[in-house]
Amino acid sequence: MTLPQTRAAIARLIPHQGAMCLLESVSACDAERIACASATHRDPGHPLRRDGALPAICGAEYGLQAMALHGALTAGAPQPAGFVAALAGVELAAERLDDVPGALEVTATALSRETRGFIYAFAVAGGGRVLVSGRGTVVLA
């Protein structure tokens, strides 16, 4: 499996396009887990910024995109569009992400995968600590 190392390569595999493709590279991927990195959280033009800040809850979107990318890489085909059916157990250890130095490290681990959807645990870390974690359920269209 060849791991995508640019936003453009990642965007070809997930439904998120343009500025909404938040991930920039993949450092590891196996049958159950993916590890990605991104520094888009510091971009002043980030599409999820509100009032000059990127709220920490937006880390869930990074996790959800890692989930979609893992699905694409393990299936060997672009991930079809879906919708978030549930977020559970979400823990926020920061108020915002835009002031976190360096890249965000985003991981997603498959808990359940079916043809019509999937459930993953995700975590977003930066600055030496986990900032956002939880579980996401996505139903495919």
Side-chain angles (χ1 to χ4, degrees), residues 16-123:
H16 310 81
Q17 300 299 302
M20 271 308 295
C21 178
L22 303 179
L23 302 174
E24 295 183 304
S25 66
V26 179
S27 58
C29 183
D30 61 28
E32 301 304 320
R33 185 176 179 276
I34 190 167
C36 307
S38 179
T40 59
H41 63 292
R42 294 191 324 261
D43 181 351
H46 195 292
L48 299 177
R49 270 188 185 245
R50 296 295 175 260
D51 301 319
L54 183 63
I57 190 62
C58 295
E61 179 63 26
Y62 283 85
L64 292 164
Q65 289 190 26
M67 293 163 48
L69 184 55
H70 185 260
L73 290 172
T74 56
Q79 182 69 51
F83 66 90
V84 179
L87 288 174
V90 175
E91 294 185 18
L92 304 176
E95 285 188 35
R96 54 195 287 184
L97 298 178
D98 55 291
D99 60 357
V100 175
L104 296 177
E105 300 159 14
V106 184
T107 58
T109 303
L111 302 176
S112 175
R113 290 184 285 180
E114 303 293 332
T115 57
R116 300 287 297 154
F118 44 83
I119 302 170
Y120 279 74
F122 64 85

